[in-house]
Amino acid sequence: MAVVKVKYTRSSTQIKVHLRYIIHRPGRDGEKQTRQLFSENYTTLEKQRAYEVIDTAPTGTIFFKVMVSLDPKQEDTRRDVDLWYVTDKTMQRFKNLLVEERAKQFQFFATVHTAEKRHTHAIALVPGRLSKEDFRLLTDVLRKTATQEACSQRASRDVARAHMNHLSRTRNYAPISQSLPISRQPLALGMAGGSARRIRKVRQRTLPCPQGGMHSLVKLKDKDGKYWCPVHKKVYEHEQGLSL
């Protein structure tokens, strides 16, 4: 399940300090970073523009600090979940909890931190205050929304990954199947249905024995015109009246 933490302040000065922190917080190696801010529907904005939004917020605006962190074992397993999308859906749920007039003035901007456990920090501008009960319910609702969006995306990505692995295995097996030995016996198309049949070798014509019988003479190699009778043990010549 995703972890969602919500805090708030009425001070524009304090929220700008928090804004600088989430943008420039040092990375793992201690190097300074400048992270990209994004807003509704993947809209990007610069830090200076975010300052202007804060400075021109209507009197009575509450600045909410929202942190969304996904479960690295069940949701962000491969560190491939679209955190911008999950954050956008979570903040839209926040907006939908407000009455229509207050929702029109709702704004947010956020950035991603790619630490060991990836998470996002968002700042939401909400006109007017929330009751204690509304604030308590807010955290639960945002947590459920972030978890549902992350789990849905995890499932879709895992299905796509499994499909790509299947295609990869199929392509790898293709050359193997093509290289398998095939029958050395020559085949030919049959008469009906295009079925295959074996080609029969053409049998050489034989000569009958002049003395009768069911046997045939055998042509002697290297002795043109002479034939051997295996039954009568006698050699015959073609000129002796034998016929092909």
Side-chain angles (χ1 to χ4, degrees):
M1 176 176 287
V3 175
V4 176
K5 297 180 179 180
V6 181
K7 297 180 179 180
Y8 68 90
T9 179
R10 294 183 175 87
S11 172
S12 60
T13 301
Q14 289 183 12
I15 203 63
K16 284 192 286 186
V17 171
H18 182 67
L19 176 63
R20 286 192 293 272
Y21 166 76
I22 65 176
I23 293 177
H24 299 299
R25 177 186 176 181
R28 297 180 183 179
D29 300 328
E31 75 281 7
K32 183 178 179 180
Q33 295 191 5
T34 300
R35 299 175 178 86
Q36 177 65 60
L37 283 176
F38 65 92
S39 187
E40 186 175 0
N41 297 325
Y42 287 79
T43 303
T44 60
L45 70 161
E46 301 299 324
K47 179 176 65 175
Q48 189 58 42
R49 174 55 185 160
Y51 284 154
E52 294 174 0
V53 172
I54 294 172
D55 290 335
T56 59
T59 302
T61 296
I62 305 298
F63 305 101
F64 284 83
K65 297 182 287 187
V66 182
M67 190 272 288
V68 179
S69 180
L70 305 184
D71 189 331
K73 294 183 178 180
Q74 298 182 5
E75 298 160 0
D76 199 22
T77 311
R78 302 182 184 279
R79 299 174 65 86
D80 58 352
V81 171
D82 188 343
L83 296 182
W84 283 32
Y85 180 84
V86 173
T87 302
D88 182 71
K89 290 298 183 182
T90 302
M91 300 311 290
Q92 291 302 318
R93 185 71 180 95
F94 190 168
K95 180 179 179 180
N96 292 337
L97 293 175
L98 304 175
V99 296
E100 184 176 359
E101 290 302 319
R102 297 175 68 187
K104 290 180 179 179
Q105 302 180 56
F106 178 89
Q107 299 183 74
F108 84 90
F109 29 84
T111 191
V112 174
H113 284 204
T114 55
E116 292 184 5
K117 188 175 181 180
R118 298 198 310 156
H119 58 280
T120 59
H121 287 278
I123 295 175
L125 285 68
V126 180
R129 62 185 297 274
L130 297 180
S131 66
K132 291 183 179 180
E133 181 64 19
D134 289 340
F135 182 77
R136 185 185 66 80
L137 292 175
L138 174 63
T139 302
D140 293 337
V141 171
L142 298 187
R143 182 187 299 113
K144 291 179 180 179
T145 302
T147 300
Q148 290 174 356
E149 294 297 337
C151 289
S152 176
Q153 194 175 143
R154 172 79 278 136
S156 298
R157 290 184 181 275
D158 287 346
V159 169
R161 183 182 180 86
H163 179 63
M164 293 303 296
N165 288 340
H166 172 71
L167 293 179
S168 178
R169 290 194 297 270
T170 303
R171 287 193 294 267
N172 291 337
Y173 288 156
I176 298 177
S177 62
Q178 293 175 3
S179 63
L180 292 176
I182 59 175
S183 175
R184 294 179 179 274
Q185 184 66 36
L187 300 176
L189 293 180
M191 295 299 294
S195 59
R197 63 178 177 82
R198 298 185 183 279
I199 297 178
R200 297 180 180 179
K201 292 183 179 180
V202 178
R203 297 180 60 183
Q204 295 182 351
R205 297 182 64 182
T206 58
L207 295 177
C209 178
Q211 299 185 33
M214 300 298 294
H215 61 281
S216 301
L217 302 181
V218 179
K219 185 176 182 180
L220 297 176
K221 294 183 178 180
D222 301 326
K223 295 183 180 294
D224 188 30
K226 294 186 178 182
Y227 296 84
W228 166 256
C229 177
V231 176
H232 299 101
K233 311 296 183 182
K234 185 177 180 180
V235 175
Y236 294 93
E237 294 186 6
H238 185 272
E239 288 76 7
Q240 293 178 331
L242 300 179
S243 61
L244 290 176

